[in-house]
């Protein structure tokens, strides 16, 4: 049948390959065999499989650009389906057609509202997306309520969708701006990288002038930038560029002296200070300004060209001039991409190369034209090469131009001749060489090349007319062979302008033009009239009759411009009673010296637009373009960007091996000595006060604390006191851990309703080697995780490091050096001035792992050496126990289903099936709290990630034959997989 039918080819075109959601394999779906009526029957069928198959085909039709709006009533009936895959496809369809079929969509609005409470995050997000696609003002209050609820959703994907919905609602009803700003302000505080880009885009659309909303979130956005998706990176960088131009002073001052480590000595004299006031004040870059530049620099290696271009424009508009060259290599790398990308990048490079030639001069060969380049790409490369031309490389560039002139692309060859003219104008050393080369092109067979050469020569001759009369004569001889109107007009202009230098040739040219005047183009006719007028004034004996003849022809020309010009010239040059006094000034008007034209780049004024924008590309202000403000003369208050954080407690670092001199109350101390003693005892004093305040709530620990405190203060003159001091520090750390447990237990007793979390009954202390004494030249280091809240910052993981001197000599100035990456947030321990042989000391650190098991790399340094070390946490150490009841556990678990749920069936060791053993094994892996359970076969544990506070729920359901279902519910899917692996291994181990 198909072999005989004309529909065979159409049938083949109707086959679409689509990926089925239920499996990874591809199916061939034939659409031509099913009409809309068939699809309606399948959608109204009682079988879920038929409905699912029909929806796949409908979505396939939409993907092919076909209209499937007739199926809207049949599709919308399935919006309440319990099949998740079917519901997702229905929402995809509704997002496409909800705006067109508003009345029918409104009938299902209650279903969309119920879906906003669905346990599956994708259903909640899809429902909000459909709701915001119904462009009906009557549902604005419903949309606003849905956006506010979604902005507080546990899922970052739903919060991201709410940010997208903000823009839709604002375009529908701008009166909701104030309420939307409140939601934007809330979402800007979100720590999820998934939300950051979307909320900044909403900010740019709704309230781009509300810079005050960015102040508190500026540093967070800078730090999150590397982990945001590429689209979000472009939006955030653009916004931060505008922000920085309003908050920081210009780093481009000509007399600026960069001094980023400007620390004035404490004892500088007043005379030195007054002397410095008379000198130029050094430029000190704001730390937040430097933070932005430092955090965007790695994005130059991005695979996304838009991200690279965004960073390049940021450095161009914000960085000091000596740092802008950082972006050069990245921009040149983009020239290997598609021609669309090349076009935009070359436009920006053309603008940059006008002001800073040195940036791209080393990469000049990258801008050589290839035969496969499109004409618009060739023209831009030619523009850049012309901008880069100087005395040193002009010979190389001109040799390259000689090849381009021979190109079969006529438009490109003409552009090359113009570029040669620009080089001749800008570099006086090669003016004669370029002019002679252009004269040789006048004998070219291609009239386009000849015409363009004439136009450029005309401009060049205006710079040195006295030296090139022979060239004018040569051009007059070629006049009959040139047919391009612009070229003929240029020669006529030259004849008229310099008619006194060619007195014999100019009248003859006018004679020829009188013969062909009526057939010439308008631009040629105008220049013929001008030539006749100038010759009438300089050589009236030979040209008087010719001039009158041409003026009579022009008087009756069809073009009114030529008629007007003819009447004006006649009154100006031919004396009569009506001409009046104007005739006296005819020579001064027509033969006045004219300035030489300046050949400039077409990109000269484009720097008024921000690089990388549509306005820059079009060279016209586009709708929605936001101009960059000028740098402020005085920097605004930088404290507005400070965020309130828990003040870190100063750590008490003992000087092991150095005995402190006894203090006598009777002895008089000077002010300097008192200040020195206060500084030395400051950290210990803060510990004393904090310990005493905490010990007031637990009398048992208070007694032990002061029992050890007293001998340490009284007996510090002999070596025995050092041992007592060391033992005291270790015991103090233990007491700190016990006091935390006591506090948690007391809180549980005070609030019995929420007292379903107990402190871990098993708190493992696994010690890991940080630095071997052989590698550390005698310095050995081990570390462990005490599983206690970090005292320095709440989003840090507490780490205790034991440093031991295994050498036979003292080690001095032990401290933390450089870290990798540089943005790694570490609270370092205070410098240990001296560590005696065989002595050890325990110090505390805080590290922000950002909920990642990626190792924290840093340098452990002594006075003479540096050792690269790394601390890599197990996934369970990134958690902290969370308090909740069984009812709250089940409620939160219901919100973290779908992609937020990870489960596996495991076979447990017989010894691990008891409640005590399960708690012990699980707590050995993860730092979570035990949630009391009313079911004997289900064990529940709750925790939160230390860095972001994301909820992590673990449940273990015992089944027959020593098997169990282990389930982990959390937004952190990668963390869940790693935690599941570790727990399976621990519970299966005997």
């Amino acid at each position: 049948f198909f072999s005989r039918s004309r529909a065979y080819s159409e049938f083949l075109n109707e086959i679409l390959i689509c990926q089925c959601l239920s499996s990874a394999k591809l199916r061939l779906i034939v659409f031509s065999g099913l009409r809309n009526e068939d699809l309606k029957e399948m959608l109204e069928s009682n079988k879920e499989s038929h409905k699912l198959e029909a929806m796949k085909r409908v979505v396939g039709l939409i993907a092919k650009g076909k209209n499937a709006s007739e199926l809207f009533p049949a599709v919308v009936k399935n919006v309440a389906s319990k099949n998740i895959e079917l519901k997702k496809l229905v929402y995809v369809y509704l997002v496409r057609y909800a705006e067109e079929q508003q009345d029918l969509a409104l009938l299902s609005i209650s279903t969309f509202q119920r879906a906003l409470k669905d346990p599956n995050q994708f259903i909640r997000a899809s429902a909000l997306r459909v709701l915001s696609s119904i462009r009906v003002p009557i549902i604005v209050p419903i949309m606003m309520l849905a956006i506010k609820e979604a902005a507080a959703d546990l899922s970052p994907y739903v919060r991201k969708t709410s940010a997208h919905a903000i823009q839709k609602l604002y375009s529908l009803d701008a009166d909701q701006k104030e309420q939307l700003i409140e939601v934007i302000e809330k979402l800007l505080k979100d720590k999820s990288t998934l939300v950051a880009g979307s909320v900044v885009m909403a900010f740019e659309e709704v309230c781009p002038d509300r810079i005050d909303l960015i102040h508190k979130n500026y540093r967070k956005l800078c730090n999150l930038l590397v982990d945001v998706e590429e689209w979000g990176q472009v939006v955030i960088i653009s916004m931060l560029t505008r922000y920085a131009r309003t908050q920081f002073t210009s780093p481009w001052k000509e007399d600026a002296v960069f001094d980023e480590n400007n620390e004035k000595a404490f004892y500088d004299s007043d005379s030195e200070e007054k002397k410095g006031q008379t000198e130029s004040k050094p430029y000190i870059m704001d730390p937040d300004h430097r933070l932005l530049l430092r955090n965007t620099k790695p994005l130059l290696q991005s695979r996304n060209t838009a991200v690279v271009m965004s960073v390049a424009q940021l450095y161009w508009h914000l960085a000091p001039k000596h740092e802008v060259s950082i972006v050069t290599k990245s921009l040149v790398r983009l020239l290997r991409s598609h021609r669309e990308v090349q076009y935009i990048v070359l436009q920006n490079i053309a603008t940059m190369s006008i002001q800073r030639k040195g940036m791209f001069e080393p990469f000049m060969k990258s801008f050589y034209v290839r035969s496969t380049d499109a004409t618009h790409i060739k023209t831009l490369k030619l523009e850049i090469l012309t901008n880069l031309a100087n005395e040193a490389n002009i010979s190389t560039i001109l040799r390259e131009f000689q090849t381009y002139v021979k190109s079969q692309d006529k438009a490109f060859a003409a552009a090359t001749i113009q570029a040669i003219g620009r080089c001749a104008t800008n570099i006086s050393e090669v003016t004669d060489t370029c002019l002679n080369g252009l004269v040789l092109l006048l004998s070219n067979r291609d009239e386009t090349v000849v015409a363009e050469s004439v136009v450029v020569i005309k401009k060049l001759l205006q710079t040195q007319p006295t030296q090139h009369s022979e060239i004018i004569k040569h051009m007059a001889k070629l006049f009959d062979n040139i047919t391009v109107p612009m070229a003929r007009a240029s020669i006529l202009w030259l004849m008229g302008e310099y008619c006194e230098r060619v007195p014999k040739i100019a009248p003859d040219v006018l004679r020829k033009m009188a013969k062909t005047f009526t057939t010439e183009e308008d631009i040629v006719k105008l220049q013929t009239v001008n030539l006749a007028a100038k010759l009438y004034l300089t050589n009236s004996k030979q040209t008087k009759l010719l001039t009158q003849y041409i003026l009579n022809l022009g008087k009756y020309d069809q073009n009114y411009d030529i008629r007007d010009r003819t009447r004006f010239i006649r009154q100006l040059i031919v004396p009569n009673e009506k001409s009046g006094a104007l005739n006296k000034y005819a020579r001064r008007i027509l033969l006045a010296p004219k300035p030489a034209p300046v050949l400039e780049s077409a990109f000269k004024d484009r720097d008024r637009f921000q690089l990388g924008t549509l306005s820059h590309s079009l060279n016209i202000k586009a709708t929605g373009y936001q101009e960059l403000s000028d740098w402020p003369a005085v920097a605004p208050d930088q404290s507005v960007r400070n965020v309130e954080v828990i003040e870190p407690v100063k750590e008490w670092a003992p000087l092991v091996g150095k005995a402190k001199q006894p203090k006598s109350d009777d002895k008089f101390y000077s002010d300097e000595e008192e200040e020195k003693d206060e500084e030395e005892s400051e950290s210990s004093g803060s510990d004393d006060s904090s310990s005493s305040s905490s010990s007031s709530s637990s009398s048992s620990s208070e007694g032990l604390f002061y029992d050890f405190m007293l001998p340490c203060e009284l007996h510090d003159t002999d070596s025995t006191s050092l041992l007592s001091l060391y033992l005291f520090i270790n015991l103090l750390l233990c007491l700190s851990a016990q006091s935390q447990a006591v506090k948690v237990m007391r809180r549980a007793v005070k609030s019995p309703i929420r007292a379903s979390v107990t402190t871990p009954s098993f708190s493992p202390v696994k010690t890991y080697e940080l630095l071997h004494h052989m590698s550390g030249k005698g310095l050995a280091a081990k570390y462990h995780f005490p599983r206690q809240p970090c005292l320095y910052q709440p989003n840090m993981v507490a780490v205790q490091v034991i440093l031991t001197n295994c050498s036979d000599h003292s080690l001095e100035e032990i401290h933390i050096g450089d870290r990798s990456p540089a943005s790694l947030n570490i609270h370092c321990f205070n410098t240990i001035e001296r560590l005696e042989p065989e002595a050890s000391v325990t110090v505390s650190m805080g590290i922000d792992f950002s909920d990642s098991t990626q190792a924290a790399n840093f340098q452990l340094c002594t006075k003479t050496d540096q050792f690269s070390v790394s601390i890599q946490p197990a996934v369970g150490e990134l958690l902290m126990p969370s308090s909740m009841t069984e009812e709250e556990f089940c409620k939160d678990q219901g919100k973290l289903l779908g992609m937020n749920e990870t489960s596996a069936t495991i076979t447990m060791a017989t010894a691990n099936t008891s409640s005590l053993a399960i708690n012990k094994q699980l707590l050995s892996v993860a730092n979570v709290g035990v949630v009391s359970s009313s079911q004997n076969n289900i064990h529940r544990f709750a925790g939160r990630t230390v860095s972001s506070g994301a909820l992590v729920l673990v449940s273990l359901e015992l089944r027959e034959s020593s098997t169990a279902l282990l389930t982990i519910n959390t937004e952190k899917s990668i963390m869940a997989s790693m935690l599941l692996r570790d727990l399976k291994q621990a519970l299966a181990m005997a």
Side-chain angles (χ1 to χ4, degrees):
F1 170 76
F2 284 117
S3 62
R4 301 176 185 176
S5 174
R6 293 173 56 188
Y8 177 58
S9 59
E10 296 179 4
F11 171 79
L12 294 178
N13 291 333
E14 291 294 316
I15 296 179
L16 174 70
I17 301 177
C18 73
Q19 186 173 9
C20 298
L21 297 177
S22 57
S23 62
K25 63 183 180 179
L26 297 177
R27 294 179 180 175
L28 290 175
I29 301 178
V30 182
F31 290 114
S32 58
L34 285 176
R35 298 170 299 177
N36 285 347
E37 291 76 10
D38 300 328
L39 290 174
K40 287 180 181 178
E41 285 186 18
M42 295 178 68
L43 289 170
E44 294 172 356
S45 171
N46 294 328
K47 294 184 179 180
E48 293 287 337
S49 59
H50 288 181
K51 293 181 180 179
L52 185 60
E53 190 70 19
M55 279 309 304
K56 290 177 183 178
R57 300 187 181 205
V58 171
V59 173
L61 286 172
I62 297 173
K64 291 190 68 178
K66 295 190 175 183
N67 186 10
S69 59
E70 295 180 3
L71 301 171
F72 195 93
V75 173
V76 78
K77 293 178 182 178
N78 296 289
V79 73
S81 174
K82 295 182 180 180
N83 188 309
I84 299 298
E85 293 182 4
L86 177 60
K87 189 178 289 189
K88 289 179 181 178
L89 292 174
V90 170
Y91 278 120
V92 170
Y93 178 90
L94 292 177
V95 169
R96 171 64 180 82
Y97 289 108
E99 187 171 354
E100 297 179 12
Q101 304 282 344
Q102 296 178 355
D103 295 336
L104 291 174
L106 286 173
L107 296 177
S108 303
I109 198 168
S110 59
T111 306
F112 303 147
Q113 289 181 279
R114 286 196 301 272
L116 293 171
K117 306 292 185 181
D118 195 277
N120 189 301
Q121 59 175 344
F122 292 107
I123 301 300
R124 298 199 301 274
S126 298
L128 179 59
R129 194 177 292 115
V130 173
L131 199 60
S132 60
S133 299
I134 305 175
R135 314 285 291 172
V136 180
I138 196 173
I139 67 166
V140 166
I142 298 176
M143 289 174 60
M144 177 60 72
L145 183 61
I147 289 174
K148 288 182 177 180
E149 290 182 355
D153 197 279
L154 285 175
S155 170
Y157 182 73
V158 179
R159 300 198 298 273
K160 176 187 179 75
T161 307
S162 71
H164 293 164
I166 288 174
Q167 305 167 54
K168 296 181 182 180
L169 179 55
Y170 179 71
S171 64
L172 179 63
D173 185 3
D175 295 336
Q176 305 295 324
K177 181 175 180 178
E178 294 303 322
Q179 294 188 57
L180 292 176
I181 290 177
E182 295 178 3
V183 181
I184 291 174
E185 184 176 9
K186 179 180 180 181
L187 288 174
L188 280 171
K189 299 175 183 178
D190 200 303
K191 295 182 179 180
S192 174
T193 55
L194 197 63
V195 182
S198 301
V199 67
V200 170
M201 188 63 208
F203 169 83
E204 291 284 78
E205 288 289 332
V206 178
C207 52
D209 55 333
R210 287 291 304 273
I211 297 295
D212 56 295
L213 299 180
I214 306 298
H215 290 324
K216 297 293 184 183
N217 303 289
Y218 172 81
R219 293 168 186 166
K220 182 197 72 176
L221 289 173
C222 289
N223 292 323
L224 289 180
L225 198 54
V226 179
D227 298 319
V228 176
E229 79 275 9
E230 295 166 341
W231 173 82
Q233 288 174 344
V234 174
V235 175
I236 294 174
I237 291 173
S238 177
M239 184 273 295
L240 292 179
T241 303
R242 288 194 307 105
Y243 177 87
R245 286 293 287 260
T246 63
Q247 300 299 312
F248 309 128
T249 55
S250 173
W252 302 340
K253 296 178 182 177
E254 295 182 359
D255 57 345
V257 179
F258 281 81
D259 183 11
E260 301 213 12
N261 297 317
N262 186 34
E263 296 179 0
K264 183 181 176 183
F266 180 79
Y267 293 103
D268 280 354
S269 64
D270 295 338
S271 61
E272 291 177 347
E273 183 176 355
K274 293 178 181 179
K275 182 180 178 181
Q277 291 176 353
T278 61
E279 299 176 356
S280 60
K281 188 176 180 180
Y283 171 78
I284 304 173
M285 181 174 283
D286 191 296
D288 290 328
H289 191 171
R290 174 57 63 192
L291 175 69
L292 177 59
L293 295 176
R294 183 172 61 246
N295 285 15
T296 52
K297 182 179 177 181
L299 297 181
L300 288 172
Q301 309 300 323
S302 174
R303 63 181 180 180
N304 188 295
T305 53
V307 175
V308 177
M309 193 64 246
S310 296
V311 178
Q313 66 84 22
L314 181 140
Y315 265 79
W316 178 259
H317 293 296
L318 299 182
K321 292 183 178 179
H322 64 276
E323 295 184 22
V324 179
S325 57
I326 293 174
V327 307
T328 306
K329 288 185 178 180
S330 299
L331 289 176
V332 173
R333 173 173 61 88
L334 298 183
L335 298 180
R336 303 170 189 167
S337 187
H338 305 291
R339 63 174 59 179
E340 294 82 7
V341 173
Q342 291 183 45
Y343 179 70
I344 299 299
V345 174
L346 287 171
Q347 279 191 324
N348 288 275
I349 293 177
T351 302
M352 294 178 177
S353 60
I354 293 175
Q355 296 185 17
R356 301 177 189 173
K357 296 183 179 181
M359 282 179 60
F360 298 98
E361 191 175 349
F363 304 94
M364 191 171 64
K365 291 185 178 180
S366 300
F367 304 107
Y368 285 174
V369 174
R370 300 179 180 180
S371 59
T372 56
D373 288 337
T375 302
H376 59 282
I377 301 296
K378 292 179 181 178
T379 307
L380 284 172
K381 287 186 175 181
L382 193 65
E383 178 74 27
I384 295 170
L385 287 174
T386 309
N387 293 340
L388 298 179
N390 54 37
E391 293 82 354
N393 59 25
I394 186 61
S395 58
T396 304
I397 291 178
L398 287 179
R399 282 198 300 270
E400 192 73 14
F401 285 176
Q402 288 176 3
T403 306
Y404 300 163
V405 170
K406 302 174 185 177
S407 172
Q408 298 299 318
D409 188 339
K410 305 307 177 186
F412 174 58
T416 303
I417 295 173
Q418 293 178 9
I420 294 174
R422 279 183 55 197
C423 292
T425 305
N426 298 334
I427 305 173
S428 58
E429 289 83 353
V430 295
T431 302
D432 293 338
T433 304
C434 293
L435 197 54
N436 294 332
L438 291 173
V439 171
L440 293 176
L441 291 177
L442 294 177
S443 58
N444 195 290
R445 295 180 180 178
D446 190 343
E447 65 177 16
T448 306
V449 174
V450 174
E452 200 64 40
S453 300
V454 169
V455 174
V456 174
I457 289 174
K458 170 222 167 187
K459 296 178 180 178
L460 292 178
L461 287 180
Q462 289 183 254
T463 61
Q464 299 173 333
T466 58
Q467 303 176 13
H468 302 291
S469 58
E470 292 298 324
I471 296 178
I472 299 175
K473 294 178 182 178
H474 181 65
M475 295 171 67
K477 293 177 181 178
L478 297 173
F479 184 77
D480 293 338
N481 300 325
I482 296 175
T483 59
V484 177
M486 189 63 190
R488 291 174 67 85
S490 297
I491 294 177
L492 291 175
W493 185 90
L494 283 172
M495 293 293 119
E497 188 68 18
Y498 307 112
C499 57
E500 295 177 346
R501 302 188 184 279
V502 284
K504 296 181 180 180
I505 296 177
D508 192 54
V509 172
L510 182 63
R511 179 183 58 83
K512 293 179 180 179
M513 289 305 303
K515 292 181 180 180
T516 61
F517 184 86
T518 55
T519 59
E520 296 289 347
E521 295 289 335
D522 292 343
I523 188 173
V524 180
K525 290 179 181 180
L526 289 172
Q527 291 303 326
T528 303
V529 173
N530 287 346
L531 175 61
K534 292 177 182 178
L535 287 175
Y536 182 87
L537 295 174
T538 59
N539 190 3
S540 60
K541 290 182 180 181
Q542 288 183 304
T543 59
K544 183 176 181 179
L545 294 176
L546 279 173
T547 302
Q548 290 179 354
Y549 176 71
I550 291 173
L551 291 178
N552 288 332
L553 291 176
K555 181 179 179 180
Y556 300 104
D557 195 89
Q558 294 180 356
N559 188 294
Y560 58 84
D561 286 334
I562 297 173
R563 297 197 300 268
D564 290 347
R565 176 73 62 89
T566 302
R567 293 189 184 97
F568 169 72
I569 293 295
R570 186 186 295 275
Q571 295 297 322
L572 183 63
I573 65 174
V574 180
N576 55 42
E577 297 178 357
K578 297 180 180 179
S579 60
L582 192 61
N583 180 258
K584 300 178 182 179
Y585 303 101
R587 181 178 291 271
R588 294 176 61 181
I589 293 173
L590 292 175
L591 299 177
K594 300 170 182 62
V598 179
L599 302 179
E600 296 179 339
S601 170
F603 290 84
K604 181 182 179 182
D605 298 326
R606 289 207 186 186
D607 57 350
R608 69 183 187 275
F609 297 115
Q610 184 177 352
L611 294 185
T613 60
L614 178 63
S615 298
H616 176 269
S617 181
L618 300 178
N619 198 24
I620 187 173
K621 188 174 181 179
T623 304
Y625 174 74
Q626 298 175 11
E627 294 184 356
L628 285 178
S629 61
D630 295 330
W631 295 99
V634 180
D637 184 15
Q638 63 178 357
S639 64
V640 295
R641 291 183 291 276
N642 294 337
V643 181
E644 295 182 3
V645 296
I646 298 177
E647 195 68 27
V649 180
K650 291 190 176 182
E651 185 177 344
W652 192 77
L655 306 181
V656 179
K658 292 175 68 176
K660 183 178 178 182
Q661 296 298 325
K663 181 177 178 180
S664 173
D665 294 332
D666 298 329
K667 186 176 180 180
F668 176 80
Y669 282 85
S670 65
D671 293 340
E672 293 182 357
E673 290 172 332
E674 285 182 357
E675 290 175 359
K676 184 176 180 181
D677 289 340
E678 287 174 3
E679 290 174 358
E680 290 178 354
S681 60
E682 182 181 359
S683 58
S684 61
S686 62
D687 277 354
D688 295 348
S689 60
S690 61
S691 300
S692 59
S693 61
S694 62
S695 61
S696 62
S697 62
S698 55
S699 57
S700 59
S701 60
E702 180 182 7
L704 289 171
F705 181 86
Y706 283 109
D707 286 345
F708 277 89
M709 190 68 180
L710 187 60
C712 286
E713 289 187 352
L714 296 179
H715 307 287
D716 50 1
T717 57
D718 53 8
S719 60
T720 307
S721 65
L722 297 178
L723 180 60
S724 301
L725 184 61
Y726 171 64
L727 294 175
F728 161 67
I729 294 170
N730 284 314
L731 185 57
L732 185 59
L733 293 171
C734 297
L735 290 175
S736 175
Q738 291 179 4
S739 64
Q740 294 289 340
V742 171
K743 289 179 182 179
V744 173
M745 292 298 292
R746 287 185 174 180
R747 285 197 296 267
V749 172
K750 290 179 181 179
S751 54
I753 296 177
R754 308 233 345 145
S756 50
V757 172
T758 60
T759 54
S761 57
F762 177 81
S763 183
V765 180
K766 297 180 181 178
T767 303
Y768 307 91
E769 186 174 66
L770 183 64
L771 179 66
H772 193 269
H773 68 90
M774 295 295 290
S775 303
K777 298 182 180 180
L779 177 63
K782 296 182 179 180
Y783 70 93
H784 65 270
F785 299 95
R787 293 193 174 182
Q788 297 298 330
C790 184
L791 299 175
Y792 314 116
Q793 289 186 22
N795 61 339
M796 286 185 172
V797 177
V799 182
Q800 289 186 354
V801 181
I802 303 173
L803 302 170
T804 306
N805 185 359
C806 301
S807 65
D808 55 357
H809 60 275
S810 300
L811 298 176
E812 298 180 349
E813 297 182 13
I814 303 175
H815 62 281
I816 299 295
D818 295 338
R819 61 201 70 180
S820 177
S823 59
L824 181 65
N825 188 10
I826 297 181
H827 180 87
C828 307
F829 58 83
N830 291 343
T831 301
I832 298 174
E833 298 293 342
R834 187 177 184 133
L835 188 63
E836 296 294 344
E838 304 302 325
S840 296
V841 62
T842 301
V843 293
S844 297
M845 298 174 58
I847 303 176
D848 184 2
F849 288 103
S850 299
D851 294 343
S852 170
T853 56
Q854 185 177 357
N857 302 309
F858 57 91
Q859 288 186 335
L860 186 60
C861 307
T862 62
K863 186 176 183 179
T864 57
D865 297 296
Q866 296 178 348
F867 309 104
S868 296
V869 296
S870 63
I871 295 179
Q872 184 168 15
V875 65
E877 304 298 343
L878 303 177
L879 307 176
M880 57 182 177
S882 180
S883 173
M884 64 174 59
T885 63
E886 182 180 9
E887 183 179 341
E888 292 171 337
F889 183 97
C890 296
K891 181 179 178 181
D892 289 338
Q893 190 179 39
K895 296 178 181 180
L896 295 171
L897 300 177
M899 293 185 65
N900 294 328
E901 183 176 82
T902 305
S903 61
T905 302
I906 61 174
T907 302
M908 300 178 59
T910 308
N912 292 339
T913 54
S914 64
S915 298
L916 185 61
I918 289 174
N919 291 353
K920 179 179 179 181
Q921 293 293 344
L922 198 140
L923 294 176
S924 67
V925 174
N927 184 23
V928 292
V930 181
V931 180
S932 61
S933 175
S934 59
Q935 300 165 285
N936 294 330
N937 65 324
I938 298 180
H939 300 268
R940 297 183 174 91
F941 305 86
R944 289 187 179 273
T945 59
V946 175
S947 182
S948 63
L951 196 61
V952 179
L953 305 177
V954 181
S955 62
L956 184 70
E957 182 181 354
L958 298 178
R959 297 180 176 178
E960 298 178 355
S961 303
S962 298
T963 60
L965 178 63
L966 180 61
T967 305
I968 300 176
N969 300 82
T970 181
E971 298 173 5
K972 306 285 185 177
S973 56
I974 298 177
M975 178 179 287
S977 301
M978 300 174 67
L979 184 60
L980 185 69
R981 178 199 61 198
D982 294 347
L983 291 176
K984 285 172 62 177
Q985 184 177 359
L987 293 171
M989 189 180 301

